[in-house]
Amino acid sequence: MSKGANTPVPQAPVRLRLHWRHGAGVPDARTAALLVTGDGRVAHDGVVGGDRPVPGGAVRHEGRTVTGDRTAETLHVDLPAVPASVDRVVLVAVVGNGTFGAVPGLDVTVTDAAGDRELARYESRDTTTETAFVAGELYRRQGGWKFRAVGQGYAGGATELAAAHGLAPGLLPAPRTPAAAPPAPAPAAVTLTKAAPSVSLAKQGATTGALHVNLNRQAPPAPRGWFARNAAPQAPLALDLGALYELADGTKGVVQALGNAFGDLHRPPWVHLDGDDRTGAVAAGENLTVNLDHTRDFRRVLVFVTLYEGAADFSGLHATVTLRAQHGAPVTFSLDECDVPSPVCALALLTQGPDGLVVHREARCLVPGRRSGPQRALDEAYGWGLRWTPGRK
């Protein structure tokens, strides 16, 4: 379901579940149900969280389950038993020590209580700084019930959410504060090689946050003595980092400085170009950022570098490619000297694996045909299927 959409549900007992992916650095969430009357106010004893039922037992909190890397909190709603004065059963959540923008895989489902068959699903992917959240609601309509995907966040947290529903903040469930525990050993940094060319980002602890892809080339040493006096001046070598992307819905495109196609980190394609090192003297090098909170929205991403100006090909190029996640250990590999007259090099390919994105070292220099530019050569080599036109910065 999309945000704001609604769908009928049977007038029978159902379950409302909020799911998310837990992991290192992911804030903990707590859920509750608000029973809202026709005048828009929460009914007396109409906050259901923890083990507190409402009179008559129409709504109860069934607790928390953990399966693999997924956590769920469940509310059981016996729709036929909901008091006639209650028009809406609203599923709300709050987090502690963070925001919902740092909670990956956030979605809410409605299932029938008898067989747990899924009736509706809403996946929320646009939260940022909110610390309280209205996920969805069951509401009466023409003698029956419907579910609406709400997806409304509150940056003011439980206080703002409670005020919007005429509640005292203390009536909402307090987020759990995890007990102190010895920190788990961090995964070691991985260097990819021809013999071991790939690694799962999940195994590196990189499942959420930003993934920075950095290309930092080593400028050749300056000539000395007689060579320095007689060498022709060298034009700066301008390199451009970019990425071809293919999303889970089939959308394809390119992120690159050419054509000012810098992408976007907070909406599709969830990839953004944030650096342009034209000389090799910038310590940060070239940078591209991938939003790992939207891992499931990617089918594949090919990171590449092209030669914009300063040389005919990549001869003499020595560089280091580093993928550094906001949460997790870095992945790095060297880009050795190119041995073909190439103006374009495929650096790394991100693809979907069993537990998330997998990084493949490519380090593959390509030679375009007579009527083919660098980007088209990449497209043809990896079967992207885009249509290319001349571009400019």
Side-chain angles (χ1 to χ4, degrees):
M1 297 179 63
S2 59
K3 186 174 181 177
N6 63 77
T7 187
V9 295
Q11 192 159 333
V14 298
R15 286 188 172 94
L16 280 174
R17 281 196 184 94
L18 187 74
H19 311 78
W20 67 94
R21 292 203 308 273
H22 58 258
V26 176
D28 187 57
R30 294 292 305 277
T31 61
L34 306 182
L35 277 64
V36 182
T37 61
D39 61 2
R41 294 184 174 273
V42 177
H44 178 67
D45 291 331
V47 179
V48 183
D51 298 320
R52 297 195 305 272
V54 298
V59 181
R60 66 178 185 270
H61 198 292
E62 292 189 326
R64 171 176 296 203
T65 57
V66 177
T67 306
D69 69 343
R70 298 279 286 171
T71 296
E73 288 208 358
T74 304
L75 288 151
H76 184 282
V77 184
D78 187 353
L79 291 176
V82 173
S85 60
V86 173
D87 278 4
R88 293 184 291 139
V89 179
V90 183
L91 175 61
V92 302
V94 293
V95 295
N97 300 324
T99 68
F100 273 106
V103 179
L106 192 65
D107 63 61
V108 58
T109 61
V110 184
T111 62
D112 70 275
D116 226 21
R117 177 175 59 91
E118 188 172 297
L119 305 172
R121 174 182 291 269
Y122 165 56
E123 298 181 352
S124 174
R125 298 293 182 266
D126 58 358
T127 53
T128 53
T129 61
E130 301 89 344
T131 57
F133 183 66
V134 176
E137 63 181 13
L138 295 162
Y139 66 99
R140 297 184 190 270
R141 177 66 64 180
Q142 297 178 347
W145 286 89
K146 286 188 169 185
F147 171 74
R148 178 185 290 117
V150 179
Q152 180 180 357
Y154 293 86
T159 301
E160 184 181 357
L161 188 153
H165 294 84
L167 286 171
L171 293 178
L172 293 176
R176 290 185 176 96
T177 301
V190 168
T191 299
L192 300 181
T193 64
K194 291 181 180 179
S198 62
V199 67
S200 165
L201 285 177
K203 292 181 179 179
Q204 292 300 101
T207 57
T208 61
L211 175 70
H212 298 287
V213 186
N214 171 267
L215 172 68
N216 199 345
R217 72 180 183 88
Q218 290 77 51
R224 297 183 177 182
W226 182 90
F227 296 99
R229 293 191 299 271
N230 294 277
Q234 297 293 315
L237 183 62
L239 304 179
D240 279 346
L241 196 63
L244 294 175
Y245 62 83
E246 182 178 2
L247 303 183
D249 63 4
T251 303
K252 299 178 181 179
V254 62
V255 172
Q256 60 178 0
L258 194 65
N260 295 320
F262 289 99
D264 198 302
L265 196 60
H266 303 293
R267 63 187 67 183
W270 317 112
V271 181
H272 182 247
L273 179 64
D274 57 354
D276 188 13
D277 177 15
R278 295 199 170 196
T279 66
V282 179
E286 290 271 328
N287 292 276
L288 191 85
T289 306
V290 178
N291 189 339
L292 293 183
D293 292 340
H294 293 269
T295 290
R296 291 193 297 175
D297 293 320
F298 293 111
R299 186 170 295 166
R300 55 178 178 158
V301 178
L302 178 66
V303 183
F304 65 88
V305 61
T306 59
L307 183 62
Y308 184 65
E309 62 184 14
D313 55 48
F314 279 137
S315 298
L317 176 68
H318 296 274
T320 300
V321 180
T322 303
L323 295 89
R324 190 177 302 277
Q326 186 175 348
H327 309 291
V331 177
T332 186
F333 60 89
S334 61
L335 186 64
D336 298 326
E337 183 174 350
C338 184
D339 57 2
V340 294
S342 169
V344 58
C345 183
L347 301 178
L349 180 65
L350 308 182
T351 62
Q352 285 289 351
D355 55 358
L357 291 178
V358 176
V359 181
H360 306 270
R361 177 187 184 271
E362 295 295 304
R364 179 182 178 188
C365 290
L366 300 171
V367 180
R370 290 185 177 181
R371 298 182 180 180
S372 177
Q375 289 84 349
R376 189 187 298 273
L378 281 168
D379 187 311
E380 293 171 351
Y382 288 86
W384 232 266
L386 299 177
R387 299 179 64 182
W388 296 93
T389 57
R392 59 193 301 179
K393 290 189 180 182

